[in-house]
Amino acid sequence: MIELLSEMFSYTFLVRAVIVGFLVSICASLLGVSLVLKRYSMIGDGLSHVGFGSLAIASALNLAPLAVSIPVVVAAAFILLRISENSKIKGDASIALMSTSAMAIGVIVISMTTGLTTDVCNYMFGSILAMSENDVYLSVVLSIIVLILFIVFYNKIFAVTFDENFSRATGVQAGIYNMLIALLTAITIVLGMRMMGALLISSLIIFPSLTSMRLCKTFKSVIICSVFVSVLCFFIGVIISYLYAAPTGASIVGINIIAFCAFSLASMIKNKKGGVL
Amino acid sequence: MAMISCQDISFAYESNIVLSAVNFDIEEGSYISILGENGSGKSTLIKGLLGLQKPIKGKINISETLKNSDIGYMPQTNAVQKDFPASVYEVVLSGRLNNLGIRPFYRKQDRENALSNMEFLNIIDIKDCCFRELSGGQQQRALLARALCAAHKLLILDEPSSGLDPLVSDDLYQLIKNINLKQKIAIVMVSHDIDRAVEYSDYILHLQNKQLFFGTAADYLKSDIGKIFMGGRK
């Protein structure tokens, strides 16, 4: 095992991927709890498609991918929130609208410029080779900012997630905290997208929180548990992907599915026992 | 001077007027019950008082001494997510959030306040229980405790006794009256229970998409509308 790890970490690209993946896993699992409970699970999916579109445009124009997609996805997140709050198009429909539109634009741009290269394929399904050194620095700084903001606003995020009307009525600026959640989600998605792939990144947000909700009963324990689940699944997934040359994103999701099933089973057994006793 | 004064306010959803021409004042420390049938605009009026819904006409004057952070609110329990993983303590403590201002974390006094409100409502022994696994009555109490944590001058309740059996809801009415008398917090409560509303509250506001009656509970009993709705029971 130790030999395997030291062999893995002799590759610089793997070290980069693990550092970024570790931080992104933590951010995604923290935000995921709030997003799942607010019924915003699909926002992650929608935003990742927008991210794909913006990456396609960035690579067509030869611009730095992260620098272009972060502002675009953040803007998309704000628009999605606004739409789902105000307009007559309901939240889920507006997400579907936006994500397919962005995907279509991305595909058009790609076919007109570079064609379906490995780069583009990597955006869809993810690759750990995609990180440059500058990307790593930016990712580390941004994910630490996301982490700090989440911890500082933890109590407010809880209140806004649990009962938004109550927070509004008692003088808490719920709108600002919704925007904060959207902003942090957007950043996390763009950072994680290139490793996990546009099609799979939302699993990183949804799975750990759903998994830990099987067993944990309080908000704090759900949050802490999902961080551990997320990080653990990430590491196992990366090791498996290294051993069997499997795609990283898909391996991580695979491990997450196993964890989810295991937790569901444990919760079923626990409930049955409780019923008998 | 009144804490909140409603002057000829009307509410509409997409140009359908649901409530029009409502005039009443909420005085400090008073206890107002809002009566009316389903769809008569009670919950809309509550939303208006809380600033969640803007009136299309008229004005809600809020006195300068009443800040948003002085108001506690207890929604109908079906408005709260039933499958949310949170302990009772976490839920109740979140009522103190409006006292935090820009501070990120709760202080000792916030925790103590949450605990004492839970003690007052007799839910201290279930403080670590999961909110979604509680009975209806316990959930109501937890939400009331949260509202109390937030309320300093005004407590607004939307059908607190819905879905409770008569004994438990008797308890709840008694608790709310105690809060009103002991902590000098004004109460505005939407209720279906005309008998108890008349028994416990100082003022009655009766709505039927417009204002049918506003006045003291005693006057309500003598009024024509009161007599009709009490059905000659008293």
Side-chain angles (χ1 to χ4, degrees):
Chain A
M1 188 69 194
I2 293 166
E3 265 173 47
L4 173 73
L5 285 181
S6 66
E7 185 192 324
M8 276 175 67
F9 288 125
S10 62
Y11 299 103
T12 346
F13 74 89
L14 258 180
V15 176
R16 284 181 195 158
V18 167
I19 293 172
V20 174
F22 173 72
L23 288 169
V24 169
S25 304
I26 297 177
C27 296
S29 56
L30 290 176
L31 291 164
V33 177
S34 188
L35 289 174
V36 167
L37 289 169
K38 280 175 90 65
R39 306 286 183 265
Y40 283 169
S41 309
M42 288 311 286
I43 279 191
D45 206 46
L47 291 182
S48 64
H49 288 72
V50 175
F52 173 80
S54 58
L55 280 182
I57 292 170
S59 70
L61 298 175
N62 257 333
L63 296 170
L66 282 186
V68 175
S69 36
I70 288 178
V72 172
V73 176
V74 167
F78 285 160
I79 295 170
L80 273 183
L81 256 173
R82 279 265 158 262
I83 292 176
S84 58
E85 272 168 13
N86 301 326
S87 101
K88 287 170 193 161
I89 304 176
K90 283 285 162 246
D92 57 340
S94 62
I95 292 171
L97 268 184
M98 192 177 250
S99 72
T100 45
S101 317
M103 199 81 187
I105 293 170
V107 171
I108 291 171
V109 169
I110 287 165
S111 67
M112 281 184 356
T113 53
T114 53
L116 213 63
T117 58
T118 21
D119 257 7
V120 177
C121 217
N122 284 345
Y123 292 156
M124 302 268 258
F125 300 108
S127 158
I128 38 174
L129 302 170
M131 299 278 170
S132 74
E133 207 179 323
N134 281 333
D135 286 353
V136 175
Y137 290 134
L138 186 61
S139 305
V140 169
V141 170
L142 283 178
S143 24
I144 288 174
I145 292 175
V146 170
L147 276 180
I148 291 173
L149 284 177
F150 187 88
I151 293 169
V152 167
F153 290 107
Y154 167 80
N155 289 313
K156 278 142 189 158
I157 289 175
F158 168 79
V160 171
T161 308
F162 181 66
D163 188 348
E164 198 174 315
N165 273 343
F166 178 84
S167 313
R168 262 181 222 280
T170 55
V172 175
Q173 298 291 325
I176 291 177
Y177 298 111
N178 273 336
M179 280 212 209
L180 179 76
I181 295 173
L183 170 75
L184 300 184
T185 310
I187 294 175
T188 307
I189 281 178
V190 176
L191 295 182
M193 203 177 112
R194 302 208 299 142
M195 187 171 58
M196 296 293 293
L199 297 176
L200 293 176
I201 175 68
S202 60
S203 66
L204 212 56
I205 289 186
I206 296 161
F207 262 113
S209 52
L210 279 179
T211 302
S212 43
M213 274 179 223
R214 295 307 102 194
L215 283 182
C216 299
K217 306 276 184 206
T218 69
F219 193 72
K220 202 178 247 170
S221 64
V222 168
I223 295 245
I224 292 169
C225 177
S226 62
V227 167
F228 279 106
V229 168
S230 180
V231 169
L232 197 67
C233 289
F234 167 75
F235 277 120
I236 298 175
V238 167
I239 290 171
I240 286 180
S241 116
Y242 176 78
L243 282 178
Y244 302 102
T248 321
S251 314
I252 295 170
V253 178
I255 301 298
N256 267 304
I257 296 172
I258 295 173
F260 179 77
C261 293
F263 272 62
S264 305
L265 197 71
S267 127
M268 261 157 65
I269 293 170
K270 200 175 148 201
N271 284 345
K272 232 179 211 156
K273 262 192 189 155
V276 171
L277 288 172
Chain B
M1 199 198 126
M3 282 198 297
I4 297 183
S5 161
C6 297
Q7 293 166 357
D8 196 33
I9 50 171
S10 300
F11 292 96
Y13 291 108
E14 302 188 3
S15 77
N16 283 330
I17 294 180
V18 290
L19 189 62
S20 57
V22 176
N23 282 288
F24 73 105
D25 288 352
I26 303 171
E27 305 284 343
E28 261 173 56
S30 65
Y31 186 146
I32 301 176
S33 286
I34 304 178
L35 300 175
E37 286 160 29
N38 286 335
S40 58
K42 296 173 305 220
S43 293
T44 306
L45 179 62
I46 293 284
K47 279 189 193 154
L49 292 176
L50 291 170
L52 302 173
Q53 175 102 21
K54 281 220 165 71
I56 54 159
K57 224 184 104 204
K59 239 183 129 187
I60 301 179
N61 284 325
I62 296 177
S63 119
E64 277 167 23
T65 53
L66 181 73
K67 294 188 291 286
N68 251 116
S69 53
D70 292 325
I71 301 176
Y73 166 52
M74 179 177 169
Q76 298 182 18
T77 29
N78 57 17
V80 176
Q81 301 188 34
K82 287 268 155 71
D83 60 347
F84 200 98
S87 69
V88 174
Y89 182 59
E90 281 178 321
V91 171
V92 175
L93 191 59
S94 75
R96 290 288 295 184
L97 196 68
N98 58 3
N99 287 306
L100 286 185
I102 55 162
R103 269 186 309 271
F105 304 111
Y106 296 110
R107 292 156 300 174
K108 202 175 165 211
Q109 68 210 70
D110 297 313
R111 293 171 200 284
E112 279 167 0
N113 180 271
L115 289 173
S116 74
N117 278 322
M118 291 168 75
E119 216 153 312
F120 178 63
L121 290 172
N122 231 333
I123 48 172
I124 194 84
D125 44 328
I126 53 166
K127 92 182 186 20
D128 296 319
C129 290
C130 180
F131 182 76
R132 63 181 168 192
E133 289 170 0
L134 302 180
S135 70
Q138 287 170 323
Q139 284 189 347
Q140 312 274 67
R141 276 166 189 263
L143 291 181
L144 183 57
R146 179 184 68 161
L148 271 182
C149 282
H152 301 294
K153 290 181 181 161
L154 176 61
L155 181 58
I156 297 180
L157 308 112
D158 198 349
E159 298 194 32
S161 66
S162 65
L164 294 185
D165 63 63
L167 268 179
V168 181
S169 77
D170 261 336
D171 262 13
L172 198 68
Y173 273 91
Q174 201 58 56
L175 276 173
I176 292 166
K177 189 69 191 171
N178 278 346
I179 293 162
N180 177 236
L181 292 176
K182 286 188 190 145
Q183 306 189 21
K184 307 265 180 264
I185 292 175
I187 308 278
V188 173
M189 175 157 79
V190 168
S191 172
H192 269 310
D193 191 334
I194 298 187
D195 294 317
R196 285 211 188 82
V198 171
E199 184 185 341
Y200 285 101
S201 50
D202 308 327
Y203 296 94
I204 301 281
L205 174 65
H206 196 127
L207 300 176
Q208 182 63 64
N209 304 108
K210 57 186 195 302
Q211 183 170 326
L212 291 185
F213 180 87
F214 178 69
T216 62
D219 285 343
Y220 181 72
L221 284 177
K222 288 180 215 144
S223 70
D224 293 340
I225 167 99
K227 279 178 191 152
I228 294 169
F229 276 90
M230 296 294 286
R233 274 171 288 170
K234 282 198 177 169

